[in-house]
Structures are given as structure tokens and as C-alpha cells.
Amino acid sequence: MSKKKVVVGVTGLNNIDSPGPGIPVIRALKDSEYFDVRIIGLSYETLEPGIYMHDLVDKTYQIPMPSAGTSSLLERIQYIHSIEKLDCIIPNFDAELHNFIKLSPTLKKDYQIATFLPELEQFESRHKSVLFEFGEKNDVKVPFAKMIFSPSEIYQLEDKFTYPLVVKGKYYDASIASTPEQAVSYVNKISAKWGYPIIIQEFVSGNEVNVTAIGDGKGKCIGAIPMRKLYITDKGKAWAGVSLEDNQLIEIANRVIANSKWRGGCELEFIKSNKGEYYLLEMNPRFPAWVYLSVGCGQNHPEALLKMALGIDVKAFESYESGKLFIRYAYDQIVSLSEFEKISTFGEL
Amino acid sequence: MSKKSYERPYIQKLNTGTMNKFGTKTEYAPVTAIEGVPVKKLIADYGSPVFVISERQIRKTYHEAVRAFKTRYPKVQFAWSYKTNYLNAVCNIFHQEGSWAEVVSMYEYQKAIQNGVPGKKIIFNGPDKSIEDLSIAVDNESLIHIDHLDELYLLVELLENKKKKARVAIRVNMDTGIYPMWDRFGFNYENGQAWNAINKIMSHPELMELVGLHCHIGTYMLSANAYSVAAWKLSDLAMNIQLRYEKTISYLDLGGGFASANTLKGSYLQGSDIIPSVDDYAEAITSTLLNFGFKQENLPTLILETGRAMIDDAAHLLGSVIAIKRLSDGRRSIVMDFGVNILFTAFWYNHKISPAQEFSHHVEDMVVYGPLCMNIDCVRESVTLPLLNRGDNVVVHRVGAYNMTQWMQFITMRPKVVLIDMDGKTHIIRENETLDTINQMEKMPKHLKSINL
Amino acid sequence: MYVNKNLAISDTGFIFNPSTGDSFSTNEVGKFIIDLLKQKKSKEEIISQIVLHFNVDKVNADKDLSDFFAMLKSYQLMLDENE
Ligand SMILES: Cc1ncc(COP(=O)(O)O)c(C=O)c1O
């Protein structure tokens, strides 16, 4: 059977020490038996390593920062599409998803570019700021949390929280504060970068376990792989991890995906409390950077996503291998100045 | 030898992180005309800076809002929120379209009367109404929205000596899941204040008639759902009044607060990408009202006091570059002939600024300052614009709401406001202030008349 | 005043400073000026060249050049003669 040729735009090429999921997603797609993919990298910065990985990324274009808005993004995609004829775009950054979700009907209707993203409402419903409600609605435990809009509110929380507590940004960043003073300083630091609200969350101690999963948007969980981090960088990112056999966790993941009718990839971050209860800490609305482990375990999630995006029928995976490890490594690419010049001055490479 | 066109020399360090100009052309694409009238001509004819309002845009936005609500709900009435923009010409566009007037002071009230709005179609809101104000409103049969108990007692006192009955509503504040909760205006729903106030009003049937319930849950509301909560709580009060007193409340006034497409400071995403559409708001409100369980004949009229979302898009501020400077840390800064004195909303919005002439593709990050000799006079803390020069013109977008009312005569005087009508003709609807305008109001004590320097 | 002779400028206005590793982007007039600086032209000579080739008066060319020099210095692309 000859493979189906497709052109896929992928963001998140920042394969650095706190990596974006772009390169792992691309590797998964390149492994596909079904597709023959041409990868169009979509980058924000000129030093994203993926731009220069020519064996994985066939061509890269710079795209405007999410803060520039959907009209700028659409204009850029129109330009890229006029050259590359994109079949599908897989965005991988939390901060850009809002805009891509907003544009997805236009992309489909006017340009026949597929995406496979949650609805805006679903996307908002798992937001850190409302995760507690999300948990209640979808029958999963979530640590108690409250939004705040100024550092001074920390002092009014004394009756609701005990220290330590977790200070979280709207999109990224989380720090554990053991005193109100520390909390205030984290609030200031995180809000300077991501704005308000800031989420204050109950600290649950225990072991962190994560799940990478994918839903079909109709209430079916297509696949889910649980993983425990074995080695964590100073940025809290997994450097190595191992897939787990954990039926209870798979069941919870299935329930969340089913109840929320999640469409697309996601990462569920749980903490298994000392009593053995699972608390959902976060639901990231896209694949995690370790999604390639899913391929290693026998479930190619990015390929499944691409199939569903293109309207190809996908059956739910029934099994996976536990005890598979991923171990990340850093790799120094050698790049000529002229390549850097091209992406810097023309925004294309 | 013919000379090449000149653009001032520019150099930018690469990969400093934030700069990525690819695909952001729309951000700084030049805007050379407003409703077909060239920016250069507007500035030549009316000076710089100048506010320019499009009548066509106002009517268009209004029609869209009316369509969104009337196609979903049988009884809808808009009331123009005067404080948003009370230039008489602007008010009269709304009144021609059928809007009533919503005012919060005797000054605004008199403006509405002078514009020809019948007293019955004026909604009198706000915490500051004197006994004289109330008396006029009662005489004119205006809708008095009571804000606090002191006002209610004052009204009772007034009405005991009057032969006329007042038509009143109360303003209700409530938790709609939105932060911050506006609980300083009106009576609280959750703690029973509102129900108490209703009982007090209903105990004076000879003096006043409770015709409506009002709320205004906040401004620039990013959640349409908050309105469905508000509509539910007002409906709940109305239903309880029906049950307890067999009195049908004739209208529910959901206030204003719909967001305009401006981008709030501190917002990572563009305002236009995150605000609910007018259809979203309309759906949230009307579906709640329709499903609440009112009998068909008791269905209340829905009043809306939408302000910023009606007018923001319709106005632009045109201005000119006074100087370009370099700050001590190397950042580019640019001084405009307009500042926070006339662009008050620059305090909470990152207003979009477009150049009014063509430039090359080179752009730089800069701080935009106004002309005031005050440190707070900053229009944009960071914006990417082409290489502007002294004398170049710019267009500031979405300035229709709250600027032409909250502007201040500080250090310099306020500029002209020009309306472009449906045929593209321009009209001055407010003259610029002059030294005489200001001096007219001042009085000089005799002993200070002469100075000798 | 001089700029590093080894400064690489491409036609696209991309500049690479091999002694610091920094890269920059400049526009047409900026490139024109840096080329003249590499030929050790004085400020006055550069101004008259700008006025000769571009549509600008001397006062503005002078003002913009001073600002440009300040930027070159702050980026350590230009050093005073005696340094
Ligand atoms: C009582 C009342 N109604 C309506 C408005 C108009 O609000 P907006 O401009 O947010 O629509 C205001 C504004 O503050 C108000 O106080």
C-alpha cells in the first residue's frame, strides 16, 4: 500500500531543555506507516532548534506571536498555504491554541486546512482557573483552587488555604510557596509575565503521574498512556520517564476524556496522594513533549490525531506496553550563519 | 541623478526574543482614510489632534445589536448610556434609531431633555440624585432607578408632598461569578437587601410603582455567561414579586458592560479574539429570560444600556508625531500631540495605533508618549510601529467610548470632534476649546488684576 | 570613529559581528552608512554622501546619523578612534 501524502504544519519546534512538543509530534508522524508527511515548521523565534533539523522539518516559516491576534496569524497562514498547500496544522503551544481554535472553522472552510482541536468552550472549561469546576463536572478530584487578581489578596486567603500552596500562572509557570511573603513574590513574578488571574491551589503531596491521551470529540478516548517521571530537570520537566500499568488511572483518563468529549491530544497531570487517591492538577490542551513515548508503547497518538483531522476513521487503541522508558538527550546541531540569516531576515528556511 | 527615498537609518539586534515581524503586517498597515475621507485632509481641515466619528459605523453597530436581540426576544429596548459619549450629535444618532436615554446625573438628564427625549423615556440611574433632581424626574414620569436606602427615603419624603406617583426600579448587585463584583451600587441580591428594598417600595403603593428591576454587573465583561446569571437573578426577583404581590414587573434592565474589541492592558491575546460577540451576549440573556417560566403575557421588556460596545469602534483619534527620542536605555520613544488628557482610556487599553502613511517593512519597538509634561502621560508602553518621523500622522482606533466624556482640560485644550455623515460629509460636532473658552469661566478679584513684573 | 572591518553585512541588511557573535538587521540607509564607516569616512563626509544619494536635507540627516551612531556604539559596533 502506498502511503498517503500529506502536508502538515507543526508548531512547538523549541526542542530545548524545556521542550515544546513539536519535534516529538513530527517524529511520530514520520514513523507513520499510513502517511508520507511533508512537515512545515511554524516557528516564533529564530533559535528554535527544530528550524534547523532538516531531516524532520522540511521547511519552516516564522509566524506572528499569539499576542498579535488572529488576523495577523490568518494572513501569515494564507501566505504559507499559497506555497505549501497545507492539509493540516497541529499547534502545540498552550498560548497559541485560543487563536488556532478561533481560526479553525475559517481554515477548514476557506482553505481546506484541517485541525483537530477542542471547541473553545471545552478549551476554556479545563483552564487552570476553572479546573476545580471542571473536576466537579467530569467526576475527577481536583485540589481546591481560587483565582486572584492582585498580590494583596494572598493575605485574605488565610482561612481557605494552608501553606505550602501552589501559585500558578494563567498559561505557564507554577511555584510552591511556603509563606505568604513568598506567595506574594511569586504572584508578582508570574503575573509580570502572563498577567492576571493567578491561580492559588491547594498543595497535595504525593507522586506525580501524567497521562498523554487523545479523544475523538464524541466521547471516546482513542488512547491513553500513563507515565511517571524518573528524572526531573531544574525546570520541573521530565528528563526521563517510564510508562506505567495502572488501570485505575487509565479509567480516570477515559472518564475525563469521555465526559468532557475532548477533541484532540491532551496531557493530564495527576498527583497520587499518599492515600492513593488521584487528583487532577492540570489538563494541558495539547500533546506533552514526551508524546513520542506513546509511539514507543505501541500507540501512535499524533498519527491518530492526523487521521481524525483528515476525517479518516480511527479505532481506539486497546493495549500498550508498560515499562518503556524515554530518556531525553541534548544534541548540538552545527548550523551555518547563512541559515540563521535566512530565517532572521526572510522568516523562512 | 535622481535621489532614493530616505528612511532614517535603523539597526536592531536580532533574536532579542520578542520581535518577530513576519506576518504582523496587519498590525501596522497604514490607515490613510476614515470612511473614505483622507486622514491628511481631516488633519489639514480640522487640525491635529482631532477625534473623528463615523455615523455609518454607529448605525451599523446599533443595527447589529438590535438584530441580535430582537430576533431572539420579542420586547427589547435600548437606552443610550450618556456617560459613554454624550456629545449631542452622537446621542441623537442613537435617539433617531429609537434608543431611550440612560443618565446618571442631572447634567446628563438635562442634556437628554434638551435633545428632545421625552421624560418617560429617560432612565435615571446613579447614586447621586438630590431631592430637586428626583422632583424633576417624578414630574417628567422618568424611570427612577433607586441606588440606596437613603435615596428611597428621600423619594418617599418628596412624594408625600406631591400628587404624582413615581415610576421606580431598584438597582440590584449580585454575584455573577465575575471578579471584581460590583457591590457598591444598588442592593445586594444574595444577602436579601434587594428583596427588602422591594418590600419597602411595595409598602408605598400610593406613592410609587415598582415598574422594573435593574442591574449593571460590570464593564468590559468577557463572560457572556455572567449575563445569564444576572438575567436569572433579576427574573427570580420579578417572579417573587409576582407571587407575593401579584404585581407584574414590566421590564428587566440588564445594564451595559458588553466588551468592545479594544485590548485590555495585561491581556496576552488581542481583545478582538477573546470578546464574546453580541450574539453570544444576546443568547445568554434571552434564553435565560425565555426559559425562566414567565407567562407569555407577563414576559418583561428587556432593556439594555450598552455603552462602549456600541460606540468604541465608531471613533478614531488622529494625531501627529512631535518628536522621536531615544531613552537612556536605548529604547525608542515617540512623542505625540495627544496624550492621556484626551485619550483617557489609554490608562486601561493598549489602543491599536496605525501609521497614516506608507512605510518600508522595517519596524521598531517604541514607547508612545503624549505631549503633557507629566510622567503618567504614556499612551503605549510598548508598541511596534514603522520608522515614524516628526510630522507623520497616526490613527488611534476604537476611542469612541469614555474619551469624549472623561477627557480633561489639563495643560492643553481639548480638540475638535468631527462627524462623518452617511454621505461622507464632515461636520464639526464639537469645537476645539480656546483660551477664551476657559477664561470665560474665570473671575479675577480686583486686587489681583494688575501685576507688575 | 571606526567600525570593525570584519563586520559582515549582506545585501539583505543582515549584520554579523564576528568578534562578539551578535547579529543585527539594518535598513538601506543604515547599510549605506556602515559601508562608509568601514571606509573610515568622517561624519561630515557621510552626511554629504547621504544628502547626495537620498532625498533628505542636511539637518535631518545629521540628526538621524547622530542617533544611529549612538545605537552603533551601544551595540558595540563602533568605537571611538582613541579606544
Ligand atoms: C448604570 C450603567 N449603565 C450602563 C453603563 C454603560 O456601560 P458599558 O459602557 O460598559 O456598556 C454604565 C457604565 O458605567 C452604567 O454605570
Side-chain angles (χ1 to χ4, degrees):
Chain A
M1 185 182 85
S2 74
K3 292 192 193 181
K4 186 177 166 71
K5 278 190 190 298
V6 283
V7 184
V8 185
V10 181
T11 70
L13 307 183
N14 54 330
N15 215 45
I16 50 172
D17 63 341
S18 169
I23 293 300
V25 165
I26 293 168
R27 283 184 67 203
L29 295 178
K30 291 262 175 187
D31 280 2
S32 170
E33 299 283 339
Y34 186 89
F35 291 115
D36 174 9
V37 288
R38 172 172 161 82
I39 297 294
I40 304 304
L42 306 171
S43 70
Y44 292 102
E45 309 231 4
T46 46
L47 288 180
E48 291 177 26
I51 300 171
Y52 308 95
M53 298 181 179
H54 303 307
D55 50 337
L56 291 173
V57 182
D58 296 284
K59 172 99 192 251
T60 299
Y61 295 83
Q62 296 266 83
I63 55 172
M65 297 299 259
S67 56
T70 48
S71 54
S72 298
L73 178 60
L74 181 60
E75 187 191 23
R76 186 64 175 165
I77 293 176
Q78 281 167 351
Y79 168 77
I80 298 168
H81 188 58
S82 73
I83 301 165
E84 304 292 348
K85 300 281 171 281
L86 297 162
D87 294 302
C88 180
I89 296 179
I90 305 181
N92 290 301
F93 274 125
D94 293 6
E96 71 187 359
L97 285 177
H98 180 104
N99 288 353
F100 275 104
I101 292 171
K102 208 111 196 181
L103 282 185
S104 65
T106 313
L107 292 177
K108 181 85 222 164
K109 193 165 135 276
D110 298 347
Y111 305 95
Q112 289 78 50
I113 302 174
T115 51
F116 201 67
L117 298 166
E119 304 268 332
L120 208 48
E121 211 171 302
Q122 287 178 321
F123 174 73
E124 302 284 352
S125 74
R126 42 58 40 202
H127 226 279
K128 286 183 208 181
S129 51
V130 289
L131 191 68
F132 189 68
E133 290 77 9
F134 179 84
E136 291 187 323
K137 214 158 52 204
N138 295 305
D139 195 17
V140 54
K141 285 202 179 69
V142 172
F144 180 66
K146 202 172 170 335
M147 277 190 276
I148 63 165
F149 294 82
S150 94
S152 66
E153 286 183 59
I154 289 288
Y155 298 102
Q156 297 156 22
L157 296 177
E158 310 243 307
D159 54 333
K160 296 198 180 69
F161 290 92
T162 51
Y163 284 86
L165 47 70
V166 190
V167 180
K168 289 186 161 186
K170 196 155 63 163
Y171 296 109
Y172 300 102
D173 287 350
S175 300
I176 297 166
S178 346
T179 64
E181 290 69 35
Q182 222 176 16
V184 168
S185 98
Y186 289 138
V187 170
N188 286 330
K189 210 146 90 204
I190 296 173
S191 67
K193 204 152 158 206
W194 301 107
Y196 285 102
I198 293 283
I199 298 105
I200 305 296
Q201 196 177 59
E202 172 192 355
F203 178 77
V204 181
S205 68
N207 282 325
E208 202 181 317
V209 267
N210 295 349
V211 178
T212 182
I214 174 167
D216 71 351
K218 296 175 200 136
K220 196 161 70 183
C221 180
I222 298 296
I225 307 278
M227 177 278 291
R228 208 189 114 204
K229 295 175 185 174
L230 294 176
Y231 191 99
I232 295 174
T233 67
D234 53 6
K235 287 194 171 147
K237 299 286 157 182
W239 200 254
V242 61
S243 61
L244 305 175
E245 188 183 317
D246 187 334
N247 289 337
Q248 195 192 346
L249 194 53
I250 295 284
E251 198 185 300
I252 296 175
N254 269 292
R255 190 160 74 222
V256 173
I257 301 282
N259 288 356
S260 65
K261 291 204 168 62
W262 189 260
R263 182 164 63 208
C266 67
E267 178 185 28
L268 300 159
E269 297 185 17
F270 291 95
I271 202 126
K272 187 175 185 176
S273 78
N274 300 334
K275 287 192 207 121
E277 289 176 316
Y278 285 105
Y279 285 84
L280 180 65
L281 292 185
E282 224 162 89
M283 179 175 184
N284 295 316
R286 36 90 198 146
F287 288 127
W290 55 275
V291 66
Y292 192 70
L293 181 65
S294 75
V295 181
C297 296
Q299 299 190 353
N300 191 333
H301 288 181
E303 180 195 55
L305 180 136
L306 182 56
K307 281 185 179 167
M308 289 192 283
L310 298 175
I312 301 164
D313 208 32
V314 173
K315 289 208 176 47
F317 293 103
E318 278 163 7
S319 63
Y320 65 91
E321 273 184 73
S322 59
K324 282 271 181 185
L325 279 74
F326 76 87
I327 303 169
R328 236 170 234 165
Y329 70 109
Y331 178 92
D332 299 350
Q333 301 188 75
I334 303 304
V335 172
S336 75
L337 188 65
S338 68
E339 294 211 311
F340 178 67
E341 174 185 345
K342 272 193 202 120
I343 190 82
S344 302
T345 41
F346 300 117
E348 296 177 24
L349 179 67
Chain B
M1 183 179 75
S2 81
K3 293 186 184 184
K4 293 195 231 177
S5 78
Y6 177 81
E7 177 182 62
R8 66 182 151 80
Y10 138 103
I11 181 164
Q12 180 99 32
K13 198 164 175 167
L14 287 176
N15 202 49
T16 41
T18 55
M19 276 280 290
N20 169 0
K21 58 183 197 276
F22 302 101
T24 52
K25 270 189 306 211
T26 46
E27 265 285 273
Y28 44 84
V31 172
T32 54
I34 310 286
E35 295 290 0
V37 187
V39 169
K40 302 274 174 210
K41 179 166 166 47
L42 286 162
I43 286 183
D45 291 352
Y46 302 108
S48 174
V50 58
F51 280 100
V52 179
I53 301 181
S54 158
E55 180 176 345
R56 178 181 302 280
Q57 185 63 46
I58 295 180
R59 292 189 192 270
K60 184 163 163 255
T61 310
Y62 185 85
H63 292 159
E64 278 164 15
V66 167
R67 179 207 39 82
F69 279 91
K70 289 215 168 149
T71 51
R72 292 181 165 87
Y73 196 75
K75 297 194 261 179
V76 181
Q77 178 61 53
F78 280 89
W80 177 236
S81 172
Y82 262 48
K83 72 171 96 43
T84 316
N85 188 320
Y86 46 52
L87 293 172
N88 295 327
V90 170
C91 295
N92 277 3
I93 297 173
F94 285 104
H95 297 323
Q96 280 187 352
E97 291 290 346
S99 246
W100 293 1
E102 184 270 331
V103 304
V104 290
S105 68
M106 196 24 71
Y107 161 66
E108 288 186 356
Y109 188 99
Q110 285 166 339
K111 256 183 167 275
I113 292 283
Q114 284 185 10
N115 284 334
V117 181
K120 279 182 141 168
K121 298 186 173 176
I122 300 178
I123 295 170
F124 197 178
N125 275 322
D128 174 21
K129 309 184 193 84
S130 70
I131 195 154
E132 295 79 18
D133 300 345
L134 289 169
S135 176
I136 294 170
V138 173
D139 292 343
N140 288 333
E141 296 175 40
S142 300
L143 297 163
I144 301 171
H145 287 187
I146 301 170
D147 186 81
H148 43 73
L149 278 183
D150 287 312
E151 181 181 344
L152 177 55
Y153 294 140
L154 195 65
L155 191 58
V156 169
E157 184 188 316
L158 169 78
L159 293 168
E160 277 168 349
N161 305 313
K162 253 193 199 297
K163 286 198 195 68
K164 225 172 159 118
K165 237 166 110 167
R167 300 161 73 220
V168 304
I170 57 163
R171 172 151 176 185
V172 181
N173 69 59
M174 59 184 77
D175 182 5
T176 57
I178 289 298
Y179 179 96
M181 181 175 149
W182 282 22
D183 59 0
R184 56 171 286 195
F185 303 108
F187 302 91
N188 185 253
Y189 169 84
E190 285 80 16
N191 69 11
Q193 275 179 4
W195 183 243
N196 254 340
I198 288 167
N199 287 328
K200 284 206 166 69
I201 292 170
M202 297 304 291
S203 71
H204 295 288
E206 71 296 351
L207 300 181
M208 48 184 121
E209 184 191 357
L210 183 66
V211 287
L213 296 169
H214 171 231
C215 71
H216 172 67
I217 56 178
T219 192
Y220 198 90
M221 307 298 288
L222 287 174
S223 155
N225 185 55
Y227 284 92
S228 101
V229 176
W232 193 92
K233 290 184 175 176
L234 286 192
S235 299
D236 180 52
L237 288 174
M239 193 63 99
N240 280 325
I241 295 166
Q242 182 81 44
L243 293 175
R244 165 97 183 254
Y245 296 102
E246 287 177 19
K247 161 84 193 150
T248 304
I249 291 297
S250 66
Y251 68 86
L252 299 182
D253 179 348
L254 269 290
F258 302 163
S260 73
N262 265 310
T263 303
L264 279 187
K265 282 190 173 177
S267 166
Y268 182 65
L269 296 172
Q270 291 286 309
S272 54
D273 291 333
I274 56 172
I275 60 166
S277 68
V278 62
D279 284 292
D280 296 336
Y281 291 118
E283 185 61 31
I285 295 173
T286 58
S287 65
T288 306
L289 296 182
L290 290 172
N291 295 328
F292 192 80
F294 290 110
K295 287 207 192 96
Q296 186 64 32
E297 66 272 21
N298 292 349
L299 206 59
T301 296
L302 169 62
I303 295 186
L304 294 153
E305 304 169 348
T306 311
R308 71 176 76 241
M310 278 297 187
I311 184 84
D312 239 355
D313 280 3
H316 292 89
L317 174 60
L318 317 186
S320 311
V321 176
I322 295 175
I324 27 181
K325 301 173 79 160
R326 197 56 84 179
L327 300 177
S328 63
D329 60 3
R331 272 183 310 158
R332 172 68 76 195
S333 79
I334 191 151
V335 185
M336 295 290 181
D337 62 359
F338 58 86
V340 296
N341 52 330
I342 56 172
L343 194 64
F344 196 81
T345 50
F347 283 128
W348 61 79
Y349 287 144
N350 281 330
H351 276 290
K352 176 175 171 173
I353 302 177
S354 304
Q357 47 275 303
E358 296 285 346
F359 285 94
S360 80
H361 65 282
H362 291 283
V363 291
E364 53 189 354
D365 272 344
M366 59 181 83
V367 193
V368 178
Y369 292 119
L372 306 182
C373 206
M374 292 284 286
N375 208 28
I376 54 159
D377 190 21
C378 180
V379 174
R380 286 292 302 266
E381 275 121 40
S382 170
V383 61
T384 303
L385 283 170
L387 309 183
L388 294 164
N389 293 302
R390 181 181 155 79
D392 283 343
N393 301 125
V394 298
V395 175
V396 188
H397 299 255
R398 302 194 177 103
V399 301
Y402 298 104
N403 283 306
M404 284 157 261
T405 48
Q406 292 194 66
W407 54 4
M408 47 194 157
Q409 187 272 300
F410 174 56
I411 295 187
T412 173
M413 285 160 300
R414 285 171 282 209
K416 286 189 174 64
V417 181
V418 173
L419 180 82
I420 303 179
D421 69 17
M422 302 300 282
D423 302 322
K425 277 208 344 243
T426 54
H427 310 261
I428 295 174
I429 58 170
R430 192 181 194 269
E431 274 295 352
N432 56 300
E433 291 165 340
T434 63
L435 182 60
D436 285 344
T437 331
I438 315 296
N439 276 349
Q440 255 175 29
M441 281 178 281
E442 295 195 21
K443 291 200 164 46
M444 184 72 77
K446 214 171 183 174
H447 69 285
L448 295 176
K449 278 213 165 109
S450 72
I451 54 171
N452 191 4
L453 279 178
Chain C
M1 270 171 321
Y2 65 95
V3 291
N4 188 331
K5 271 204 308 297
N6 298 326
L7 212 59
I9 313 186
S10 72
D11 288 341
T12 61
F14 177 85
I15 304 173
F16 178 68
N17 183 352
S19 58
T20 61
D22 290 329
S23 13
F24 305 86
S25 155
T26 188
N27 60 356
E28 189 182 6
V29 179
K31 181 176 179 319
F32 183 83
I33 295 168
I34 293 171
D35 284 337
L36 291 172
L37 279 172
K38 284 173 87 173
Q39 299 164 30
K40 304 228 163 198
K41 294 279 192 271
S42 70
K43 186 173 179 186
E44 286 64 38
E45 284 172 297
I46 295 175
I47 292 173
S48 51
Q49 284 295 312
I50 293 175
V51 173
L52 190 68
H53 286 92
F54 293 92
N55 205 351
V56 63
D57 61 48
K58 212 171 152 185
V59 175
N60 276 305
D62 187 355
K63 187 186 76 174
D64 292 343
L65 189 63
S66 302
D67 180 65
F68 190 65
F69 278 5
M71 287 316 288
L72 291 178
K73 277 189 192 151
S74 79
Y75 287 144
Q76 295 175 11
L77 290 175
M78 191 166 104
L79 302 164
D80 285 326
E81 208 67 70
N82 52 5
E83 278 176 42

